[in-house]
Each structure stands twice: as C-alpha cells, then as structure tokens.
Amino acid sequence: RWFTHFYVVSVLWNGFLLICLFRAEFLRGSLPSWIQHVHHALGRDSQSEDTGKYPSYSDCEHFSVLLVLLLLWLHSCRRLAECLWTSVFSNGVIHIVQYCFGLAYYIAVGSTVLCQVPTNVRNGKQLSVQICWYHIVGVMMYIWASLHQHRCLVILANLRKSKSGKVISLSHSVPFGDWFESVSCPHYFAELLIYISMAITLGFHNVTWWCVVIYVLFNQALAAVLCHEFYQKNFSSYPKHRKAFIPFVF
C-alpha cells in the first residue's frame, strides 16, 4: 500500500511538467529556466541544432515528448486510482531505501521525458502538432497493455473479496483468467509493455528512454521470478505450464 505514495508524487509532479510543456506548445511560452540548465548540462543544445534543420522531424519529436508525458501521467492516475479503490493490500512492509528510491524514480522518469524536448521549444517557438504512424502504434499498444494490467489487478483483488465486494481475506490464492493463464505476474509484464509503448511513441530512436525500458525489464522480471517461486513453493497444484514473466518465454 505504500506504493500509493509513489503515484501521488507522480501525478502531481508529472502533471506539473505536463502543464509546463503544454504552455510551451500551445501558448507560446517557454520552459522553466531550470529545464534549460538541464538541457545544457546533458548536451541537448547541440543535439537539437542538428534536428532543427528538419522542421517536420522536430515537430514530430516535440509532439512525441508531449504525448509520452501525457501517457505517463495517465498511467500514474490509473495506478493511483487502483491503489485507492481496487487493490486489496496485505500487511506487508517496504524497506525505507526502496521507498526513497521509488519516490525519486517517479520524479526522475518524468524529468527524463521532458529533457527530450527540442531546444527551440524552450526558446518560446511554437511548433505545429504532427501525428506520425508510430504515435498511433504506441498509443494503441499503451491502451492494450493498460487494459490487461487493470484486468489482472482486478482479478488479484477479487481473490480477497466476496461476491458483494467485501474484503474477506488477506491471504494469497492462485489467480486464474486473462494473462494469468500464461504467466504468474502478467501485471508486471503489462508494465513492461507500457514502457515499450512509450519508446515506440518516441519514435524508436530515443536511446535514453530505451535505458528506462531496460531498467523496468530487469526490475519487473526480478519481482516476477520471486512471485513465481512463491506460488510454486506454497501451492503444490500450481499450473506447471505458467512462466514467471513473459508468456511462453521466461
């Protein structure tokens, strides 16, 4: 249940960044000065000078950042709502180091997205919105993965509820239905797909975001393996065909 704090921070922080970027896009404003300093520190100025020679690419790149930041904020809103009104948590605790890291992560990941915006936007130059094919593919994949993640979280929550919706147990049970038929932790797999969908929305080429995807891959895979081993250890009749994380693969 302490993960709820992560999503509260993410909704507030990434919502603020989204407003800043929206102002720069549609109101001819400029991004805050501290973002300009971060751009300069990361060498974004020189990178944008090259892409600035191609206006259509620059417009698509900027719209990609705006769209991904919106998707990240919506993802945080949904997860916060699920933590508050869907999930049924046990009395487990979280290590203080993991808690602090989680808070820092959700601040850093939104800032990472915003730092991909072209330099000419922070100078107050308004860009036109240009939708590219990878925006459509990325958003469709995002919606698909998000729906399945929500369904899987509802299945987990219902294991501890009666038909009337009242919580009757905090013990663990074996889930069935949706992607649970293939893997032990489909909600972790869906999380990975959501981040991959954002990489696609950024146009495939954004190395920085692919580094984020790799982090999510290892983080979620580790958690999935631990859960998978827990199921196998505590339930003798646990389905042997289920993988831990990725259907039919791992």
Side-chain angles (χ1 to χ4, degrees):
R1 63 168 55 89
W2 291 93
F3 275 58
T4 304
H5 297 183
F6 300 161
Y7 299 119
V8 169
V9 169
S10 182
V11 168
L12 295 176
W13 174 249
N14 293 320
F16 166 73
L17 296 182
L18 185 61
I19 291 174
C20 290
L21 190 54
F22 183 86
R23 287 181 63 253
E25 167 67 25
F26 297 104
L27 302 179
R28 292 187 178 274
S30 60
L31 296 178
S33 58
W34 63 269
I35 297 179
Q36 300 183 27
H37 296 317
V38 172
H39 271 113
H40 180 73
L42 296 177
R44 181 62 182 176
D45 293 342
S46 58
Q47 180 181 350
S48 296
E49 288 175 0
D50 296 333
T51 59
K53 298 176 183 177
Y54 308 96
S56 60
Y57 173 81
S58 181
D59 286 357
C60 284
E61 183 183 24
H62 174 55
F63 182 65
S64 297
V65 175
L66 180 64
L67 188 55
V68 168
L69 195 55
L70 174 61
L71 295 179
L72 183 63
W73 182 73
L74 291 175
H75 177 61
S76 301
C77 290
R78 178 180 62 82
R79 291 293 295 117
L80 176 59
E82 289 167 342
C83 285
L84 294 175
W85 297 298
T86 300
S87 299
V88 180
F89 299 104
S90 64
N91 295 321
V93 296
I94 185 173
H95 196 282
I96 184 63
V97 174
Q98 184 183 7
Y99 178 77
C100 293
F101 180 83
L103 293 176
Y105 169 79
Y106 281 99
I107 293 176
V109 71
S111 304
T112 299
V113 175
L114 192 59
C115 284
Q116 307 309 306
V117 73
T119 309
N120 53 2
V121 175
R122 69 178 177 84
N123 290 333
K125 178 182 178 181
Q126 187 181 32
L127 299 179
S128 60
V129 174
Q130 296 203 5
I131 300 177
C132 301
W133 65 268
Y134 50 80
H135 295 150
I136 299 175
V137 173
V139 171
M140 293 295 291
M141 182 177 178
Y142 171 89
I143 295 173
W144 174 65
S146 297
L147 288 174
H148 279 284
Q149 187 178 56
H150 177 71
R151 290 174 186 171
C152 292
L153 291 172
V154 170
I155 290 173
L156 286 175
N158 288 339
L159 292 175
R160 296 177 172 178
K161 297 179 181 179
S162 64
K163 292 183 178 180
S164 63
K166 182 180 179 180
V167 177
I168 57 176
S169 173
L170 294 181
S171 61
H172 293 278
S173 303
V174 178
F176 292 93
D178 205 77
W179 287 356
F180 278 109
E181 300 300 325
S182 300
V183 291
S184 296
C185 301
H187 47 306
Y188 294 155
F189 177 56
E191 185 80 3
L192 174 64
L193 293 180
I194 288 171
Y195 277 83
I196 291 177
S197 71
M198 295 181 191
I200 294 174
T201 305
L202 285 171
F204 292 94
H205 65 276
N206 194 294
V207 177
T208 303
W209 192 255
W210 280 112
C211 290
V212 175
V213 171
I214 292 174
Y215 163 76
V216 173
L217 167 64
F218 284 100
N219 178 272
Q220 300 296 294
L222 175 60
V225 168
L226 294 176
C227 289
H228 185 66
E229 293 176 349
F230 173 85
Y231 282 128
Q232 291 179 323
K233 179 180 179 180
N234 290 275
F235 301 97
S236 57
S237 60
Y238 191 73
K240 297 184 181 301
H241 67 276
R242 289 190 188 181
K243 299 296 184 180
F245 184 47
I246 302 177
F248 313 109
V249 177
F250 173 69

